[in-house]
Amino acid sequence: MEETTKIIKIPAIITVGDFADKLSIPVSQVIGELMKNGVMATINENIDYETAEIIAEFLGHKVESEVEELKEKPEEKCEVSKSAISRPPVIAVLGHVDHGKTSLLDKIREANVVAKESGGITQHIGAYQVEYKKKIITFLDTPGHEAFEAMRQHGAEVTDIAIIIVAADDGIKPQTTEAIKHAKNAGTPMIVVVNKIDKPDADPARVRKQFTEIGMTPQEWGGDIEFVDVSSKTGDGVDKLLDTLIVMSEMLNLCADPKAPAQGLVIESKIEVGKGPVATILIKNGTLNSADWISVGETYGRVKSMEDENSKRLKSAGPSRAVRISGLKSVPGVAEIMQSFKDEKDARDDAEKSKKYAHVKKFSNVRKIGLDELTAQVAALDKNELSIVIKADVVGSLDAIKESLGKLNNEFVGVKFVGEGVGDVSEKDIQMAASSDKIIICFKVGKSPGVEGTAKSNKVKILKYDVIYELISDIKTLLSEMMPIEKNEIQIGILKVLGVFKVSPHLTVAGGKVEDGRAEKGANIRIKRNGEPIGEYVVTNVQREKEEMPSVPAGSECGFSIEQKVDIAVDDVVEFYRVEEHKKTM
């Protein structure tokens, strides 16, 4: 009677030790089989179901998934009930660096954020509410520098209307194009605001023409895109812009249910002294109350404090409101979903569920067994990596810097993050840097007490930055120094040997006719016999009619010497060449 193979059920992610237990075989046997197939994992490390299934088959076992394979956790949708009411619009301000996004908001909300920002560039997403003609409008001031593409993209995805701001004296720039792309991808209606119309060389018509050329025709020219001319300096056109935003938001019929459990999205997060993990949440639906239990991505907690953009304490916040909260167990990631719950258990369970989905997603990219994987591993051995520890003031900055530095990677060099986090540089950061390339990159953070001495004793360099493009430029310079040397062979001339005059242990002298190019003193030569190379040397001297020459042109006969014994004969062909070396560029 044929023996039935026992089917063993395993989860989507399992440690090597647990996997061995389920198969009832020694863990060393499992580790050995994994190594044979290119997967290096210890007893406590995880492998995914696909890898486990293949290894089990090699070991003579059959496995099945214990549960349905998990996918990425879907985003919860706001449930709008019959108690839904009209809500304020959320407006993202997008565009190129220095085109006046923050200064326009300054004019709208009579603040002065620009002066507080390093290099005049908005470094984080800020959220502000203004009241105009008894209507509330929420603005997201997103960063302008291209390095903050990820943060700017989040800004477009959580908003109802996107303002694409462009300077009347400068026109469309790369970040302008990116901002338009993000808004289109998010399906967000757009208004183009032509700023700096007060400048002497302002040309709003030229800007409109540029937009028309990329398929965004102004309404006054027969298109469907609203254009508003403004001056953030004088205030001209600002009222018209606000009127346009109110009309557009009314047409969108925006609504939310303030009685529903609160849902929102993280637009910024960081560690704050005295408060611990702090997150800025944009409420999308429902009402968030002080002391509510919430989950935010993989973390959870109870709302201890809640403040508006002016640091005013709030007891509750409804739809379209951006609030800064504390009370979470850890710092959440930008764009993580916030959900309120009745009690701690539900909040904790939801965070655990998010953590499980993230865990599965992470290991869905676990090394797969196959030729492609092994080839990639071998190719990676020739790659020079700059190993760094990176610390930033907030998660959004950290994510944006990592993404920007990742774009510098190429087939020759790359950046490896051996440590990362938000907050001041700690002793632990020094230890991690000391075991790699001894570099810590700081963005708008300081150093914990005593760290300076530890860094010095470990020869760790701490590089501090307040403006992100300076950071990226310096890392690019470091990577450029690591680029390999490229050697190019430059052909100089061809000579045919007509005679061999001397061959000794330390000198060879021969002569011939230069058939192409020139014979040159100090050049490299390659001797060929019957078309096959037989040796490469350096010419130490070239003579014509007993006179030493720097070079001899084609059509002339000359003698040449090599300061070593060389196998050379009549009719051999000598190729003269030089080698030029230069570093490959980024």
Side-chain angles (χ1 to χ4, degrees):
M1 187 173 180
E2 187 176 334
E3 184 180 350
T4 303
T5 303
K6 182 181 177 181
I7 297 176
I8 301 168
K9 292 187 177 292
I10 60 173
I13 299 294
I14 188 171
T15 67
V16 173
D18 289 342
F19 181 50
D21 287 342
K22 282 184 174 288
L23 298 183
S24 299
I25 61 175
V27 68
S28 59
Q29 190 175 349
V30 173
I31 292 175
E33 199 63 45
L34 284 165
M35 291 177 65
K36 287 181 191 176
N37 290 279
V39 179
M40 307 298 293
T42 62
I43 186 171
N44 294 318
E45 289 185 313
N46 292 285
I47 57 175
D48 65 350
Y49 174 79
E50 183 179 346
T51 301
E53 184 181 30
I54 296 171
I55 295 300
E57 185 176 343
F58 279 125
L59 294 170
H61 295 267
K62 185 173 178 60
V63 297
E64 280 186 358
S65 179
E66 191 171 72
V67 292
E68 183 180 354
E69 188 175 349
L70 293 173
K71 303 296 183 182
E72 184 178 355
K73 185 180 178 184
E75 178 179 342
E76 289 88 348
K77 300 297 182 181
C78 293
E79 297 295 332
V80 181
S81 66
K82 293 180 181 178
S83 57
I85 60 172
S86 177
R87 66 167 177 82
V90 178
I91 315 297
V93 186
L94 310 170
H96 185 73
V97 62
D98 290 338
H99 278 195
K101 299 183 302 299
T102 307
S103 57
L104 174 62
L105 282 175
D106 286 344
K107 204 67 183 178
I108 292 172
R109 58 190 170 86
E110 296 180 351
N112 187 22
V113 174
V114 168
K116 302 174 186 177
E117 294 291 352
S118 300
I121 299 172
T122 307
Q123 302 285 353
H124 312 132
I125 292 180
Y128 317 94
Q129 278 198 333
V130 300
E131 183 176 347
Y132 177 74
K133 295 183 178 179
K134 297 183 179 181
K135 299 283 187 180
I136 300 296
I137 304 173
T138 299
F139 286 94
L140 294 185
D141 179 12
T142 65
H145 188 264
E146 65 177 355
F148 286 86
E149 180 180 341
M151 293 168 67
R152 191 165 59 242
Q153 185 171 2
H154 291 318
E157 290 174 348
V158 299
T159 55
D160 303 308
I161 300 170
I163 289 176
I164 309 297
I165 192 165
V166 58
D169 62 337
D170 204 11
I172 293 178
K173 293 294 179 182
Q175 287 87 353
T176 318
T177 304
E178 290 173 10
I180 294 168
K181 178 186 71 176
H182 296 321
K184 285 183 176 179
N185 290 343
T188 306
M190 288 178 278
I191 296 176
V192 176
V193 172
V194 183
N195 192 22
K196 302 186 181 183
I197 58 172
D198 57 288
K199 298 288 277 295
D201 52 349
D203 191 349
R206 180 178 69 89
V207 173
R208 282 166 168 76
K209 184 175 183 297
Q210 288 181 333
F211 274 88
T212 300
E213 290 170 353
I214 63 171
M216 295 180 63
T217 306
Q219 285 186 354
E220 65 260 42
W221 289 9
D224 56 1
I225 303 296
E226 185 76 47
F227 277 66
V228 180
D229 295 336
V230 304
S231 168
S232 57
K233 182 177 181 180
T234 66
D236 288 348
V238 171
D239 285 345
K240 181 181 178 182
L241 170 61
L242 294 174
D243 286 330
T244 304
L245 290 173
I246 289 173
V247 170
M248 284 187 69
S249 62
E250 289 175 348
M251 292 175 63
L252 292 172
N253 193 28
L254 304 172
C255 61
D257 183 359
K259 296 181 180 180
Q263 286 184 324
L265 207 67
V266 177
I267 58 175
E268 192 46 88
S269 59
K270 62 181 178 178
I271 294 286
E272 195 168 295
V273 177
K275 289 186 177 181
V278 173
T280 301
I281 308 288
L282 177 66
I283 310 297
K284 298 174 70 177
N285 195 47
T287 297
L288 182 65
N289 301 295
S290 184
D292 276 354
W293 285 100
I294 60 173
S295 72
V296 186
E298 298 178 36
T299 189
Y300 75 101
R302 195 169 197 175
V303 179
K304 289 183 179 179
S305 66
M306 182 161 52
E307 302 174 342
D308 66 9
E309 65 271 21
N310 299 312
S311 299
K312 180 183 177 182
R313 294 292 287 262
L314 303 173
K315 291 184 178 179
S316 63
S320 301
R321 193 73 186 266
V323 291
R324 187 181 295 108
I325 64 163
S326 67
L328 295 171
K329 302 293 184 184
S330 59
V331 178
V334 172
E336 292 283 8
I337 297 169
M338 182 279 295
Q339 176 74 52
S340 68
F341 293 91
K342 293 180 180 179
D343 53 39
E344 180 181 8
K345 181 181 181 301
D346 288 345
R348 183 176 61 247
D349 289 348
D350 191 70
E352 287 297 320
K353 185 189 297 183
S354 294
K355 191 176 294 184
K356 187 175 182 181
Y357 275 101
H359 194 62
V360 171
K361 183 180 179 182
K362 175 183 176 183
F363 282 97
S364 66
N365 295 321
V366 121
R367 286 171 291 183
K368 299 295 187 287
I369 298 165
L371 181 61
D372 289 344
E373 164 62 22
L374 294 175
T375 303
Q377 289 180 14
V378 171
L381 295 176
D382 294 326
K383 186 171 184 177
N384 291 320
E385 288 184 318
L386 179 66
S387 298
I388 63 173
V389 174
I390 184 165
K391 299 299 292 287
D393 54 344
V394 292
V395 172
S397 297
L398 181 65
D399 291 344
I401 292 168
K402 286 175 60 182
E403 182 177 349
S404 296
L405 294 182
K407 290 179 180 178
L408 298 179
N409 294 351
N410 57 43
E411 60 181 308
F412 303 106
V413 297
V415 178
K416 180 181 179 182
F417 304 105
V418 296
E420 61 184 70
V422 296
D424 290 347
V425 177
S426 66
E427 296 279 348
K428 182 180 177 182
D429 297 321
I430 300 296
Q431 293 168 8
M432 297 189 76
S435 62
S436 56
D437 287 336
K438 302 182 185 300
I439 297 174
I440 298 179
I441 303 297
C442 299
F443 183 72
K444 287 194 168 185
V445 295
K447 298 182 285 289
S448 300
V451 161
E452 192 72 51
T454 307
K456 189 174 181 179
S457 62
N458 284 277
K459 299 181 179 179
V460 171
K461 289 187 177 181
I462 301 176
L463 307 179
K464 297 185 66 176
Y465 299 90
D466 288 322
V467 179
I468 193 170
Y469 53 74
E470 294 174 357
L471 184 160
I472 296 166
S473 177
D474 285 357
I475 296 298
K476 186 175 181 180
T477 299
L478 289 175
L479 291 175
S480 296
E481 289 300 314
M482 295 167 58
M483 290 290 285
I485 300 294
E486 187 175 45
K487 296 183 178 181
N488 291 327
E489 185 177 302
I490 308 299
Q491 189 75 31
I492 298 175
I494 303 291
L495 175 145
K496 185 174 182 179
V497 178
L498 300 178
V500 178
F501 308 121
K502 182 177 183 179
V503 177
S504 70
H506 305 293
L507 181 65
T508 299
V509 181
K513 183 176 182 179
V514 182
E515 296 187 332
D516 185 42
R518 65 186 183 277
E520 187 175 282
K521 178 182 177 180
N524 298 85
I525 62 170
R526 182 181 296 109
I527 300 175
K528 289 184 176 181
R529 185 170 298 158
N530 300 321
E532 296 295 326
I534 61 171
E536 296 189 7
Y537 311 94
V538 175
V539 170
T540 55
N541 191 23
V542 174
Q543 289 186 331
R544 184 171 63 180
E545 298 177 354
K546 296 184 179 182
E547 182 182 353
E548 186 173 335
M549 305 286 291
S551 65
V552 175
S556 303
E557 293 185 1
C558 68
F560 61 93
S561 59
I562 306 165
E563 291 184 348
Q564 66 185 94
K565 186 177 181 179
V566 174
D567 176 18
I568 190 167
V570 174
D571 291 333
D572 284 350
V573 173
V574 180
E575 296 178 349
F576 286 73
Y577 67 94
R578 68 174 181 271
V579 177
E580 292 185 351
E581 296 184 351
H582 65 272
K583 277 187 178 293
K584 285 184 173 290
T585 56
M586 293 286 292

